[in-house]
Amino acid sequence: MSETTVRTGAGPAAPTSGALQPLGLSAVTLDPDGLLGAWQQRSAEATLPHCLEQLEVAGNIGNLRRVAGAAAPGSFRGMWFADSDVYKTLEAVAWELGRSGGSREALDELTALLEAAQDDDGYLNSYFQTDHRDEQWTALVWSHEMYCAGHLIQAAVAASRAGAGDRLLGVARRFADLLVTRFRAEDGVCGHPEIETALVELYRTTRHRPYLDLAARFVELRGRGLLGDEPRFGRHYYQDHEPVRDSTEVTGHAVRQLYLLAGVVDVAVETGDTGLLDAAARLWESAFGTKTYLTGAHGSRHRDEAFGDPYELPPDRAYAETCAAIASFAWSWRMLLATGDHRYADELERVLYNGIAGSTARDGTHFFYSNPLQLRTGHEGSHEDAPSERLSWYSCACCPPNLARLVASLQCYVATTTDAGVQVQLYAAGRIETTHGVIEVETEYPWDGRVTLTVTPASPESEWTLGLRIPGWCGSATVDGSPAEGPYADLTRVWEAGDRVVLDLAVHPRVVTAHPRVDAVRGCAALLRGPLVYCIEQADQDARLEDLALDAGQPVESGTGEGPIPVVLRARGVHTAPGDAPLYSAPLSGGPLSGGPAAGGSVPVTLTAIPYFLWANREPGAMRVWIPLTNGPLANGPLANGPRS
Amino acid sequence: MSETTVRTGAGPAAPTSGALQPLGLSAVTLDPDGLLGAWQQRSAEATLPHCLEQLEVAGNIGNLRRVAGAAAPGSFRGMWFADSDVYKTLEAVAWELGRSGGSREALDELTALLEAAQDDDGYLNSYFQTDHRDEQWTALVWSHEMYCAGHLIQAAVAASRAGAGDRLLGVARRFADLLVTRFRAEDGVCGHPEIETALVELYRTTRHRPYLDLAARFVELRGRGLLGDEPRFGRHYYQDHEPVRDSTEVTGHAVRQLYLLAGVVDVAVETGDTGLLDAAARLWESAFGTKTYLTGAHGSRHRDEAFGDPYELPPDRAYAETCAAIASFAWSWRMLLATGDHRYADELERVLYNGIAGSTARDGTHFFYSNPLQLRTGHEGSHEDAPSERLSWYSCACCPPNLARLVASLQCYVATTTDAGVQVQLYAAGRIETTHGVIEVETEYPWDGRVTLTVTPASPESEWTLGLRIPGWCGSATVDGSPAEGPYADLTRVWEAGDRVVLDLAVHPRVVTAHPRVDAVRGCAALLRGPLVYCIEQADQDARLEDLALDAGQPVESGTGEGPIPVVLRARGVHTAPGDAPLYSAPLSGGPLSGGPAAGGSVPVTLTAIPYFLWANREPGAMRVWIPLTNGPLANGPLANGPRS
């Protein structure tokens, strides 16, 4: 790929080298009738205004106004890193502006406010500019000062790339220059990674090398004990237990780990540090080999919002924070661009349609912070981190603005390009413009596996390759009726205007089981269809959800759902009332194994499953992705999708 | 039972009415060659001195010295409720003094210190007497002021009952009188229950009715929202979400819930409030029916140290706090005394030998705070709440002194009495003195099920009943060779000196499975023998622990262990290397179900299991109580112990 320079028009993550190149902010238009396009539209119309409103209600903007002298003095409100929610929302505003040309009112107003609030030396953090001035830079371990700076920088980079001018970039650069001045000499890292990727992105937009150097320095300094001993959770919590370069296992606070690794890839790519990129690839294997939920989500523990031990993946107490899923998406995207390895794209798709999409209610204004794969009957939902339904806002409201900024730039992740052609990574109805040509995509994916692509080449005689990703979950694909092999079906042609290609991805219902070391879902299976994980929800079942079992020996069928659920799955199973079985007992001689339904007293039932991302949009009730299996054998038939399934 | 005025000489929990009566502090002597006696001796010789030493090292006693002016001014050290650890240790010293006549030096010194530190109005709390005087009584929700007062009172009651004089009782009463004065009028409860049971015990020792009235008032005021909204965990956290009398489910912070319920029983018994006792019984069914680990431990969540939802019982992330097990023991003991129902005694035995005993290392000076039922290969053990090995002390060191106070009074829980006779509740080598007569107990229980009891009646001609508990786990028992039925084998005789009774409890290895709704251990079984839960530990296996499965169709055999493990269990199983199996995959057509080992490539192995309470006394490594089952059928034979197993 050719090196390019500064980047107006670029989307999030604009590396100057790598196997694949991202498309610009305006290159792809998502059709609002498609799933991704509708999500993006809903986010623009509902989620983003909701975030702006809540930042007022919750006091985030008021904190900045008080620093700027634009409001009466008062106490700081919210979490001490509340500024970051403002920045993430601003980033969403900027991407939205670049995408749809929407209103720039919020951007201009907030930029003016930030200019007014910023100290002369560039410092900006409303918590440490109110009652806590003497604490500036005194406690990097928890202060989130550079974390907030990172989000400011990312917002400013987005505004610049979106063509909204460089006024916010000026604010960000003044703060970044202060960081360079201070931390070029001083050994220190932030307790919460985020500044690393932000500084590289700022470098990409400004070509100012000290930003990249500082990011690289922060990566190198991590894992050397500069943050001291975290008294409750240990140094693993913020990945200060060992240098990234030596790490073999993702650990600690999931969002911290994943933001760090996105920045690690950014640094590795811009500095040509292959050893560092290898470390990121190794850690990616650790994450996706032993510590990832079926939904693509990360983080098994509520206690410290952490990755747990390998194979520790409880569905009910999955923390699976929305922000971790977004961070994971950012990391895999960078790995894909750097290496071109399709497996990263597979994970992008998985986490997008499940771990991320499931966070947001159909109204676009209610969100899960934690995204469990099971909710029990009788769940006590008074905790903010384990509610029975999505909430409209959070005391720590990191997730909703994070969703807004991702979804406002969602079109940027649909395809990549190289000198040799175009790679379609995610299938969504819309239009892809590249230097090679324009590709119109018609599809009802993921509900239907047919994707029709109509090509208009940029020049009439040059040959280039249209690469169509065959997802790892897909056991059978055809292009124009002929069997197609993955990971990419590469169509190399001299394209003519109007050339049509029909890709058919088999989206049969699938049954998957987990690695035997995933104790928490032993004896269970999950239902999937295409990229979508399905779940069973109490609203669709007569019997108590916990007492249902799946007969995976019978075929699972797709069916038409009601209302907003285009496709449901129907499977055969049994209901077994446990009666007054004791909590622990000796199995009767010749009787059933633990956890399976009793041999007698089981009633056949049909299990109706809905896409996981649509759960909890009806009355609150039990839900589960992993369904206990009856003890019958797995039958041949539509479940056997071959080795790639 | 006749009402008594049990004072000097009583043990912990001395109700004035109830179905059964506890024995006094000196009534039972445990043989130090027996398991319970050895534990008690080790606690006296190692644990208690260790606690006293650590209270100095960690600063708990220094905090009090500074308040008393006996040390240079300085900052408060440790958790704000650090005084409570001093009090619990003092309580242990007192019980130990009453039991063995040990040194009273620590008791006298600390009592003098507390007298010097106590304010004129009776207030005593070294955190709120140093830098936080203006915060006294301002934040009952988190202050633990009454929690600490409760432990002071319990220590003083113990000292008084142990015959160590009433000087500490004077300190406690001055504080209790302050509480009565203040809270007789003011509506307030402590965020952490404990004062309730303490005030009732103080009433029992002093017959001063206002203490009982205040305890009853605290019970009634709870659940009325006086503590406000807990911002992270909700009101369930401290059981302020609904009145105890209306509650149907144990919930929230496990230690808080269980201490509260011990106090609820105390209040109910002393006030004759059957409705309140019914509520406690109902909540006991909730706890033991849906929220109790196989080890008798409670608390499924690390996040808020809480009971989880019904059937949410993950073995790896079991919080299972030692203090919760001790609190549960206290609650079940009170329920047993109040009702005489043997099921409470069954749970006393289970939690004592497993959930409590497993907390302490063989050296008596290392402890688990959290007691998981599984530790994974590669466990990251840097968290204090999830270490790979027991630690010598904790930043929140509530558990070690709690253990010391329980074990110092362990002999008090061995037997109960009524006008009609004596009930042996726990089998331990030793001597039981009652008003009906003396019972010498010889046994190697729990390693062996034979218990030989030799009776010397107090008077030659009166008839009384010796009740021998047949544990719920025991499928086959005999008395003097004749089949014996539970729950108690009642032997009603005119006893003659030297009469011997031989009880034989069958301690065959047993296999148990969990209720089908306990998702976390589906497809697994656990091994038990007698009252002991067993586990497999990496040190005894060649293959990685996670890749072993149990063939429950083959007999499980008892065998002689090495060193301190008298009896191990040996079972047949298989090892199946998972190879490079992906984290999630479609099961091959006709292949094995999820979580079971692959059909091919399994190697037969012998699984050696050791008592759970002895785990983690060798090199750190993986451990599991629940072992995945091979898919073979459960065979007839020694596993089928009948319906009571």
Side-chain angles (χ1 to χ4, degrees):
Chain A
M1 192 189 92
S2 59
E3 285 224 352
T4 54
T5 51
V6 192
R7 318 245 117 214
T8 301
T16 57
S17 69
L20 306 177
Q21 194 171 343
L23 296 171
L25 200 53
S26 309
V28 177
T29 309
L30 296 173
D31 182 341
D33 290 338
L35 195 154
L36 297 191
W39 185 4
Q40 192 170 55
Q41 187 170 23
R42 187 188 60 191
S43 183
E45 292 173 358
T47 305
L48 187 48
H50 178 75
C51 287
L52 285 164
E53 184 184 317
Q54 292 297 316
L55 292 175
E56 282 287 1
V57 172
N60 304 58
I61 295 175
N63 291 334
L64 287 159
R65 282 206 193 95
R66 278 192 294 281
V67 174
S75 298
F76 182 89
R77 286 181 60 196
M79 307 297 279
W80 65 95
F81 45 85
D83 288 359
S84 60
D85 297 335
V86 178
Y87 301 144
K88 281 191 277 192
T89 305
L90 260 182
E91 186 185 336
V93 168
W95 294 134
E96 185 57 30
L97 194 59
R99 184 185 75 82
S100 68
S103 164
R104 55 178 299 149
E105 188 184 331
L107 180 65
D108 291 342
E109 277 188 18
L110 286 169
T111 299
L113 177 59
L114 293 169
E115 285 174 336
Q118 189 168 37
D119 285 349
D120 290 342
D121 67 353
Y123 190 89
L124 180 54
N125 186 305
S126 69
Y127 180 83
F128 291 100
Q129 291 174 293
T130 51
D131 309 326
H132 308 275
R133 278 207 167 264
D134 57 337
E135 296 170 37
Q136 285 178 16
W137 305 126
T138 61
L140 296 180
V141 59
W142 65 266
S143 75
H144 287 58
E145 284 161 292
M146 286 196 264
Y147 168 86
C148 290
H151 280 301
L152 167 63
I153 290 168
Q154 289 198 312
V157 165
S160 172
R161 291 181 185 168
D166 286 349
R167 206 170 141 197
L168 186 57
L169 196 67
V171 177
R173 289 198 67 167
R174 283 191 289 279
F175 202 173
D177 292 341
L178 175 65
L179 295 183
V180 168
T181 303
R182 180 173 195 104
F183 291 101
R184 188 154 46 188
E186 182 178 325
D187 283 352
V189 295
C190 184
H192 196 313
E194 154 66 24
I195 187 67
E196 299 82 0
T197 193
L199 283 171
V200 179
E201 283 278 88
L202 185 60
Y203 159 73
R204 286 164 176 164
T205 273
T206 62
R207 309 301 295 166
H208 186 59
R209 178 84 194 190
Y211 301 145
L212 174 61
D213 292 342
L214 185 59
R217 179 169 157 76
F218 284 146
V219 167
E220 291 305 323
L221 286 177
R222 201 156 206 100
R224 300 180 195 282
L226 294 177
L227 292 169
D229 283 315
E230 210 289 328
R232 292 167 305 164
F233 305 140
R235 293 180 183 182
H236 293 73
Y237 177 70
Y238 34 54
Q239 295 81 41
D240 197 33
H241 60 297
E242 64 183 359
V244 173
R245 215 175 273 281
D246 304 331
S247 292
T248 56
E249 194 173 347
V250 291
T251 188
H253 188 276
V255 175
R256 282 170 163 81
Q257 174 72 87
L258 294 163
Y259 277 177
L260 175 63
L261 287 167
V264 162
V265 180
D266 284 335
V267 167
V269 164
E270 297 305 330
T271 60
D273 187 336
T274 54
L276 198 57
L277 189 61
D278 288 347
R282 194 168 61 231
L283 288 162
W284 197 91
E285 299 299 332
S286 156
F288 289 89
T290 66
K291 298 187 179 185
T292 301
Y293 281 101
L294 185 63
T295 56
H298 290 115
S300 304
R301 295 182 179 174
H302 277 244
R303 176 80 170 100
D304 47 352
E305 309 184 285
F307 284 105
D309 291 331
Y311 304 105
E312 179 191 320
L313 293 161
D316 47 356
R317 291 294 283 174
Y319 197 62
E321 185 184 338
T322 300
C323 284
I326 293 168
S328 169
F329 187 89
W331 180 29
S332 289
W333 176 246
R334 284 160 171 78
M335 294 299 294
L336 175 67
L337 295 180
T339 67
D341 187 331
H342 67 101
R343 294 187 310 146
Y344 301 120
D346 281 357
E347 292 298 344
L348 285 176
E349 181 179 65
R350 172 159 71 156
V351 73
L352 182 64
Y353 281 107
N354 301 289
I356 298 174
S359 67
T360 309
R362 286 185 47 239
D363 63 12
T365 59
H366 291 78
F367 314 92
F368 279 127
Y369 187 110
S370 169
N371 295 271
L373 280 74
Q374 178 180 13
L375 192 88
R376 291 173 187 280
T377 301
H379 175 65
E380 197 281 282
S382 66
H383 288 210
E384 204 178 63
D385 60 9
S388 300
E389 299 182 281
R390 296 175 183 85
L391 306 179
S392 67
W393 205 245
Y394 284 83
S395 62
C396 174
C398 49
C399 298
N402 221 352
L403 285 161
R405 71 178 184 137
L406 172 70
V407 180
S409 58
L410 203 53
Q411 78 283 358
C412 298
Y413 302 98
V414 160
T416 53
T417 183
T418 62
D419 291 348
V422 179
Q423 303 80 39
V424 184
Q425 305 288 0
L426 299 175
Y427 296 105
R431 176 186 163 92
I432 304 170
E433 281 190 39
T434 76
T435 53
H436 298 290
V438 173
I439 304 155
E440 298 276 355
V441 183
E442 294 168 89
T443 185
E444 292 181 29
Y445 192 89
W447 308 116
D448 187 89
R450 170 158 295 197
V451 184
T452 304
L453 305 104
T454 306
V455 177
T456 305
S459 63
E461 282 168 31
S462 65
E463 183 182 81
W464 54 277
T465 301
L466 176 62
L468 303 177
R469 189 176 66 88
I470 312 293
W473 53 259
C474 182
S476 169
T478 63
V479 171
D480 294 332
S482 300
E485 292 292 319
Y488 290 88
D490 286 330
L491 313 176
T492 306
R493 300 179 191 169
V494 177
W495 296 88
E496 295 187 16
D499 274 359
R500 287 181 69 203
V501 175
V502 178
L503 170 70
D504 263 304
L505 300 168
V507 290
H508 299 311
R510 305 192 314 285
V511 177
V512 302
T513 56
H515 190 287
R517 290 179 186 157
V518 184
D519 297 290
V521 298
R522 186 182 313 285
C524 293
L527 303 176
L528 295 89
R529 185 176 180 278
L532 300 182
V533 174
Y534 274 67
C535 65
I536 56 173
E537 214 177 11
Q538 190 63 66
D540 292 310
Q541 324 296 337
D542 292 327
R544 178 165 164 162
L545 206 73
E546 283 80 8
D547 301 335
L548 298 172
L550 170 71
D551 183 352
Q554 301 294 320
V556 181
E557 289 159 8
S558 302
T560 306
E562 289 174 14
I565 304 174
V567 180
V568 298
L569 297 182
R570 294 201 178 86
R572 310 292 167 261
V574 296
H575 168 248
T576 311
D580 53 358
L583 195 50
Y584 304 108
S585 58
L588 292 179
S589 177
L593 295 180
S594 162
S602 293
V603 179
V605 293
T606 296
L607 303 177
T608 300
I610 66 162
Y612 170 76
F613 82 86
L614 290 170
W615 85 280
N617 276 299
R618 296 175 289 187
E619 69 267 37
M623 177 277 290
R624 69 189 307 160
V625 166
W626 291 99
I627 312 170
L629 288 163
T630 63
N631 286 324
L634 290 173
N636 296 329
L639 304 180
N641 281 313
R644 301 193 66 226
S645 291
Chain B
M1 195 188 90
S2 59
E3 284 225 350
T4 55
T5 48
V6 197
R7 295 319 121 246
T8 304
T16 56
S17 69
L20 306 177
Q21 194 172 342
L23 295 172
L25 199 52
S26 309
V28 177
T29 308
L30 296 174
D31 182 341
D33 291 337
L35 196 153
L36 296 191
W39 184 5
Q40 191 169 56
Q41 187 170 22
R42 186 188 60 191
S43 184
E45 292 173 358
T47 306
L48 188 48
H50 178 76
C51 287
L52 284 164
E53 184 184 318
Q54 291 297 316
L55 292 175
E56 282 287 0
V57 172
N60 304 58
I61 294 174
N63 291 333
L64 287 159
R65 282 205 194 95
R66 279 192 293 282
V67 174
S75 297
F76 181 89
R77 287 181 62 196
M79 307 297 279
W80 63 97
F81 45 86
D83 288 358
S84 60
D85 298 335
V86 178
Y87 301 143
K88 280 190 279 193
T89 305
L90 262 183
E91 186 184 336
V93 168
W95 294 133
E96 185 57 29
L97 194 59
R99 184 184 75 83
S100 68
S103 165
R104 54 178 300 147
E105 187 183 333
L107 180 66
D108 290 342
E109 278 187 12
L110 287 169
T111 300
L113 177 58
L114 292 169
E115 285 174 336
Q118 187 167 38
D119 285 348
D120 290 343
D121 67 353
Y123 190 89
L124 181 54
N125 185 305
S126 69
Y127 179 83
F128 292 100
Q129 291 174 291
T130 52
D131 309 325
H132 307 275
R133 279 208 168 263
D134 57 338
E135 296 169 37
Q136 283 178 18
W137 304 127
T138 61
L140 296 180
V141 59
W142 65 267
S143 74
H144 287 57
E145 285 161 291
M146 284 195 266
Y147 167 85
C148 291
H151 280 300
L152 167 63
I153 290 167
Q154 289 198 313
V157 165
S160 173
R161 290 182 185 169
D166 288 349
R167 205 170 142 196
L168 186 56
L169 196 68
V171 177
R173 289 198 67 167
R174 283 191 288 280
F175 202 173
D177 291 341
L178 176 65
L179 295 182
V180 168
T181 303
R182 181 172 193 104
F183 290 101
R184 187 154 50 188
E186 184 179 322
D187 283 353
V189 296
C190 185
H192 196 314
E194 155 64 25
I195 188 67
E196 299 82 358
T197 192
L199 283 170
V200 179
E201 283 279 87
L202 186 60
Y203 159 73
R204 288 167 174 162
T205 272
T206 63
R207 307 302 293 165
H208 187 59
R209 178 84 194 188
Y211 301 144
L212 174 60
D213 292 343
L214 185 59
R217 178 169 156 78
F218 285 146
V219 167
E220 290 305 322
L221 286 177
R222 203 157 203 99
R224 300 180 195 280
L226 293 177
L227 292 169
D229 282 314
E230 210 290 326
R232 294 167 303 166
F233 305 140
R235 294 181 183 181
H236 292 73
Y237 178 68
Y238 33 54
Q239 296 80 41
D240 196 34
H241 59 296
E242 65 184 358
V244 174
R245 214 176 273 282
D246 304 332
S247 292
T248 57
E249 194 173 346
V250 291
T251 188
H253 188 278
V255 177
R256 282 170 163 81
Q257 174 72 89
L258 294 162
Y259 277 178
L260 175 63
L261 287 166
V264 162
V265 179
D266 284 334
V267 167
V269 164
E270 296 305 330
T271 61
D273 188 336
T274 54
L276 197 58
L277 189 62
D278 289 346
R282 195 167 62 232
L283 288 163
W284 196 92
E285 299 299 332
S286 155
F288 289 87
T290 66
K291 298 188 178 183
T292 300
Y293 281 101
L294 185 63
T295 56
H298 289 115
S300 303
R301 296 182 178 174
H302 278 244
R303 177 81 170 100
D304 47 352
E305 310 184 284
F307 284 104
D309 291 332
Y311 304 105
E312 178 191 320
L313 292 161
D316 49 356
R317 291 293 284 171
Y319 196 63
E321 185 184 339
T322 300
C323 284
I326 293 169
S328 169
F329 187 90
W331 180 28
S332 288
W333 176 247
R334 284 159 172 78
M335 294 299 292
L336 175 66
L337 295 180
T339 68
D341 188 331
H342 66 99
R343 294 189 309 147
Y344 301 120
D346 281 357
E347 292 298 344
L348 285 176
E349 181 179 67
R350 170 157 72 156
V351 74
L352 182 65
Y353 281 107
N354 301 288
I356 297 173
S359 67
T360 308
R362 286 184 46 239
D363 63 11
T365 60
H366 292 79
F367 313 92
F368 280 128
Y369 187 110
S370 170
N371 296 272
L373 280 75
Q374 178 180 11
L375 193 86
R376 292 171 186 281
T377 299
H379 175 65
E380 196 281 281
S382 66
H383 287 211
E384 204 178 63
D385 60 8
S388 300
E389 298 182 282
R390 296 176 184 84
L391 306 178
S392 68
W393 205 245
Y394 285 82
S395 61
C396 174
C398 49
C399 298
N402 220 351
L403 284 161
R405 70 176 183 137
L406 172 70
V407 180
S409 57
L410 203 52
Q411 77 283 2
C412 298
Y413 303 98
V414 161
T416 53
T417 183
T418 61
D419 290 349
V422 179
Q423 303 80 40
V424 184
Q425 306 289 359
L426 299 175
Y427 296 105
R431 175 188 164 91
I432 304 169
E433 281 190 39
T434 76
T435 53
H436 299 290
V438 174
I439 305 155
E440 298 277 354
V441 182
E442 293 168 88
T443 184
E444 293 181 28
Y445 191 88
W447 310 115
D448 187 90
R450 171 159 295 197
V451 184
T452 303
L453 305 104
T454 306
V455 177
T456 306
S459 62
E461 282 168 32
S462 66
E463 182 184 85
W464 54 276
T465 302
L466 176 61
L468 304 176
R469 190 175 64 89
I470 313 294
W473 55 259
C474 182
S476 168
T478 61
V479 171
D480 294 331
S482 301
E485 293 292 317
Y488 290 88
D490 286 329
L491 313 176
T492 306
R493 302 181 191 167
V494 176
W495 296 87
E496 295 188 15
D499 274 358
R500 287 182 70 204
V501 175
V502 178
L503 170 70
D504 262 304
L505 300 169
V507 290
H508 299 312
R510 306 193 313 284
V511 177
V512 302
T513 57
H515 191 285
R517 290 180 185 157
V518 184
D519 296 291
V521 297
R522 187 182 313 286
C524 293
L527 304 176
L528 295 90
R529 185 175 179 278
L532 300 182
V533 174
Y534 274 66
C535 65
I536 56 174
E537 215 178 10
Q538 190 64 65
D540 293 310
Q541 324 295 336
D542 292 326
R544 177 165 164 162
L545 205 73
E546 284 80 6
D547 302 335
L548 298 172
L550 170 71
D551 183 353
Q554 302 295 319
V556 181
E557 287 158 9
S558 301
T560 305
E562 289 174 14
I565 304 174
V567 181
V568 298
L569 298 182
R570 293 201 178 88
R572 310 293 169 262
V574 296
H575 168 248
T576 310
D580 53 359
L583 196 50
Y584 305 107
S585 59
L588 293 179
S589 177
L593 296 180
S594 161
S602 294
V603 178
V605 293
T606 296
L607 303 177
T608 300
I610 67 163
Y612 169 77
F613 82 87
L614 289 171
W615 85 281
N617 276 299
R618 295 175 288 185
E619 68 266 39
M623 178 277 290
R624 68 188 309 159
V625 167
W626 291 100
I627 312 170
L629 288 163
T630 63
N631 286 324
L634 290 173
N636 296 329
L639 304 179
N641 281 313
R644 297 192 69 226
S645 291

